[in-house]
Amino acid sequence: MNEKVISVHNLVKKFGSFVANDHLSFDVYKGEIFGFLGANGAGKTTAIRILSGLSRPTSGEVIVAGYDAHKQPEQIKKNIGYMCQKFSLYEDLTVKENIMLYGGIYGMKKQLIRDRTKNLLERLRFEEYGDRLIASLPLGLKQKLAFSVAVLHEPKIVFLDEPTGGVDPITRRQFWEMIYETAARGITVFVTTHYMDEAEYCDRVSIMNEGKIEALDTPAGLKQKYQAGSIEEVFIRIARPGKN
Amino acid sequence: MTTKTIISADRLSKSFGAVKALQDISFEVAEGEIFGFIGPDGAGKTTLFRIITTLMLPDEGKVTVLGLDCVKGFRELRKNIGYMPGRFSLYMDLTVEENLNFYATVFGTTVKENYDLIADIYSHIEPFRKRPAGKLSGGMKQKLALSCALIHKPALLVLDEPTTGVDAVSRAEFWEMLKKLRKHNITILVSTPYMDEAMQCDRVALIQEGKILSVDQPGKITAGFSRKLFSIKAPEKYQLITALREFPLVNTAYPFGDSVHVTFRDDVYDDSLIGFLEAKGVSGVIIAETRAGIEDRFLELMEKK
């Protein structure tokens, strides 16, 4: 697991005089599940926008899927997948139409889209839902489908922004099993969440505070270093210094 | 000592077309309790809270709040309930101070009169009192919305998912604030989709698809887990889960953070497990018995249905 798919060195992003990302440096490896945590306003969204080719760094080196975030953001976009809780699929299109749309956006050939659609629906045991509108599906099914669509084009990395908010415990576990399966196939999974128990599912976790990465290690390593029983305790100590 | 009953719900049902949002819901909340409804999106939490706050009528059943019928006594009741809906109902183009004054005026009181009640909470955002609510961070909006819901000194505070989308630090602070409200003898009804927050409540109801699965103190709910639970770890998590599911003695296997929580058919496993996993390519396995949490119990109750 030594191939780097994200390599960030001294990333700085400023908005006017405000430093949103203050010299971030980290690497993420092929097939890794990487948790990206931080308080509201810590600078996570800014960093993710840069990593996904939507915004340029002010300075520093950022290589994602082998491409430079300064010069090749369009190449980055083609080689990543993205899913967030708030928006993922078009509610007024059917399951198949959504898959066709996303496959088309990623420039996949029609035959390939058809093959992957069949495969995807079988794997999720979704065959009967193919022609149903997204709006008519329960939340849990939508989330699982959205994740499958985000990796339809076999990207090198998939970014998940609070993917399991509000789903029931069984669906949440099925979702994490899909994440494990995807990572085992060699796709890197980059996850943000406010919920610290989710962090414990990750291979490694970084915690941001005020634009800086304050900690980065395996969940077990972080708990040991901060002598804490959970990642939640570690997080609170980092993001609320002095009070604990 | 007999405690006063603040909420008494008897066989509540509510449907929207074919969707049964609430089915036969009964529970009681005592004075001064922090009572939590824990369940996923779509479980019926918001519908239930709207009925309790007199904003919606049940199809069947009866709810009494503060001794008043929710349907007939709604005018009187509304004066004594503080409600914080899921999407904080703040006026984004009014400042922090203007929002608070507005809510105080609507309820016929002043900020000054009940300031002691909100002082702990409002002091965090008072430095920003001239800022429009729309320009506050999520954590600050949450504190302002709570201040607004409390400013008329309600006997019952109803909070619909107050911590959703808020970071762990703000969430921890929020629960500390709710606990401090106890000394003012305010009863709190709160909902959350996050199981770990159950431990912050005096009693909780687990709710799923419009039905209550269990109501009790959080410690008693977890004690209700009916089997021996084992935590199994290995470096290759995905292979571990799939292999465990194939082992004949395994009853359930769910990922839980860095481990897999497993129950066995007769609560025991034998030495063949390690060999079986190794044959499947899973090595470095660590097995330990563990205590069930709220989420383990919730999963067990969901499976029984």
Side-chain angles (χ1 to χ4, degrees):
Chain A
M1 205 163 87
N2 282 327
E3 187 189 324
K4 288 178 193 170
V5 291
I6 297 176
S7 178
V8 176
H9 195 64
N10 280 327
L11 165 62
V12 174
K13 178 70 181 182
K14 291 183 187 170
F15 297 103
S17 62
F18 177 71
V19 185
N21 289 164
D22 188 359
H23 294 86
L24 305 184
S25 294
F26 62 97
D27 295 320
V28 184
Y29 299 96
K30 181 177 162 72
E32 188 173 30
I33 302 171
F34 190 86
F36 198 61
L37 313 182
N40 297 112
K44 296 188 307 275
T45 305
T46 301
I48 289 170
R49 287 179 57 82
I50 293 168
L51 294 175
S52 51
L54 297 173
S55 160
R56 309 287 159 270
T58 304
S59 64
E61 190 182 282
V62 180
I63 306 292
V64 179
Y67 298 100
D68 185 336
H70 288 278
K71 295 175 200 147
Q72 300 165 296
E74 293 309 314
Q75 290 299 321
I76 290 178
K77 286 181 199 168
K78 280 186 190 160
N79 285 282
I80 62 166
Y82 179 81
M83 175 203 159
C84 75
Q85 189 199 336
K86 287 185 192 114
F87 173 80
S88 41
L89 301 168
Y90 290 89
E91 297 270 312
D92 51 353
L93 295 182
T94 67
V95 171
K96 281 183 185 164
E97 285 167 344
N98 266 286
I99 300 174
M100 187 58 85
L101 174 68
Y102 279 95
I105 288 171
Y106 282 109
M108 292 164 64
K109 296 247 161 49
K110 275 197 180 139
Q111 188 56 47
L112 183 63
I113 298 175
R114 271 198 289 271
D115 292 347
R116 294 244 173 106
T117 301
K118 186 163 173 284
N119 187 292
L120 186 160
L121 295 180
E122 274 171 17
R123 204 153 23 99
L124 293 175
R125 298 198 186 97
F126 261 31
E127 290 98 328
E128 64 204 278
Y129 294 110
D131 296 311
R132 290 260 300 265
L133 290 181
I134 295 297
S136 71
L137 300 181
L139 176 75
L141 292 190
K142 272 189 227 179
Q143 298 290 81
K144 282 190 256 179
L145 184 66
F147 178 67
S148 300
V149 170
V151 295
L152 187 72
H153 57 301
E154 296 279 320
K156 292 212 168 68
I157 307 150
V158 60
F159 291 90
L160 306 177
D161 197 358
E162 302 225 15
T164 65
V167 305
D168 70 69
I170 288 182
T171 306
R172 189 147 91 112
R173 287 184 167 72
Q174 290 168 341
F175 197 91
W176 272 98
E177 285 181 36
M178 288 176 71
I179 291 178
Y180 288 151
E181 190 264 334
T182 303
R185 277 198 281 145
I187 296 177
T188 301
V189 182
F190 193 98
V191 196
T192 72
T193 175
H194 281 316
Y195 291 90
M196 299 301 129
D197 60 332
E198 301 256 272
E200 316 251 0
Y201 289 78
C202 300
D203 295 321
R204 283 191 307 149
V205 169
S206 75
I207 301 179
M208 273 187 85
N209 191 38
E210 294 179 359
K212 295 191 175 87
I213 290 182
E214 300 286 356
L216 199 173
D217 203 342
T218 60
L222 286 175
K223 283 186 272 188
Q224 196 175 19
K225 184 179 169 196
Y226 288 86
Q227 292 291 301
S230 67
I231 293 293
E232 173 139 15
E233 277 177 50
V234 175
F235 183 90
I236 289 174
R237 267 188 228 165
I238 288 172
R240 191 165 62 171
K243 289 203 185 176
N244 281 274
Chain B
M1 196 182 85
T2 51
T3 42
K4 219 158 88 185
T5 301
I6 297 295
I7 302 176
S8 172
D10 187 26
R11 313 206 66 175
L12 279 185
S13 291
K14 177 81 186 176
S15 294
F16 300 102
V19 179
K20 290 178 179 163
L22 297 174
Q23 301 178 60
D24 220 13
I25 297 275
S26 301
F27 65 97
E28 290 197 340
V29 179
E31 186 171 35
E33 268 194 306
I34 298 182
F35 190 97
F37 269 87
I38 319 281
D41 290 359
K45 304 187 297 290
T46 299
T47 302
L48 177 63
F49 282 16
R50 285 186 180 153
I51 291 172
I52 288 167
T53 52
T54 78
L55 300 173
M56 198 181 262
L57 301 174
D59 295 339
E60 285 167 58
K62 189 175 156 66
V63 205
T64 309
V65 177
L66 303 165
L68 293 162
D69 182 278
C70 269
V71 178
K72 293 181 198 131
F74 75 95
R75 278 179 202 282
E76 193 56 30
L77 250 183
R78 285 183 186 178
K79 294 178 198 162
N80 294 301
I81 296 178
Y83 175 46
M84 187 168 141
R87 285 184 199 149
F88 310 140
S89 58
L90 298 169
Y91 293 87
M92 295 303 165
D93 51 350
L94 295 187
T95 64
V96 166
E97 199 171 51
E98 285 166 343
N99 267 289
L100 193 59
N101 280 325
F102 173 77
Y103 279 95
T105 311
V106 165
F107 284 102
T109 182
T110 59
V111 173
K112 206 172 151 194
E113 196 170 331
N114 292 321
Y115 189 81
D116 64 314
L117 189 61
I118 62 161
D120 272 342
I121 304 156
Y122 190 63
S123 60
H124 293 264
I125 47 173
E126 212 160 10
F128 310 102
R129 63 183 182 276
K130 299 287 181 200
R131 191 182 285 190
K135 299 244 157 102
L136 297 176
S137 71
M140 287 199 283
K141 274 186 197 143
Q142 181 199 46
K143 290 184 183 100
L144 176 58
L146 181 59
S147 302
C148 291
L150 277 170
I151 196 61
H152 59 296
K153 206 170 188 184
L156 172 66
L157 186 61
V158 179
L159 310 170
D160 194 3
E161 296 204 17
T163 56
T164 296
V166 177
D167 70 56
V169 172
S170 300
R171 285 200 297 145
E173 283 175 357
F174 193 80
W175 283 103
E176 282 169 26
M177 287 173 199
L178 292 190
K179 285 177 185 167
K180 282 188 192 162
L181 287 173
R182 268 183 231 251
K183 65 170 183 257
H184 298 283
N185 212 25
I186 293 175
T187 304
I188 300 174
L189 187 67
V190 58
S191 69
T192 172
Y194 294 96
M195 307 279 148
D196 56 337
E197 295 193 334
M199 304 318 272
Q200 307 278 358
C201 303
D202 297 316
R203 284 194 308 143
V204 295
L206 305 184
I207 183 169
Q208 163 88 358
E209 291 175 352
K211 288 181 188 157
I212 290 180
L213 302 174
S214 180
V215 184
D216 215 326
Q217 293 164 9
K220 286 189 179 160
I221 288 189
T222 55
F225 193 80
S226 64
R227 287 173 174 274
K228 275 193 178 174
L229 185 68
F230 295 87
S231 160
I232 305 186
K233 291 185 193 184
E236 300 298 331
K237 281 183 262 185
Y238 183 61
Q239 283 88 330
L240 174 66
I241 295 165
T242 45
L244 281 169
R245 296 242 168 90
E246 289 170 28
F247 188 66
L249 297 180
V250 165
N251 179 50
T252 59
Y254 290 115
F256 254 86
D258 60 353
S259 64
V260 182
H261 280 189
V262 178
T263 60
F264 295 96
R265 291 191 202 288
D266 299 310
D267 280 347
V268 288
Y269 62 95
D270 55 36
D271 296 340
S272 69
L273 176 62
I274 299 288
F276 179 87
L277 291 175
E278 272 173 5
K280 296 276 177 188
V282 183
S283 54
V285 177
I286 302 168
I287 306 178
E289 199 175 332
T290 189
R291 283 175 62 179
I294 287 280
E295 211 162 349
D296 292 295
R297 180 66 178 141
F298 201 108
L299 283 163
E300 187 179 46
L301 290 165
M302 277 178 82
E303 274 169 1
K304 280 188 181 151
K305 272 190 8 181

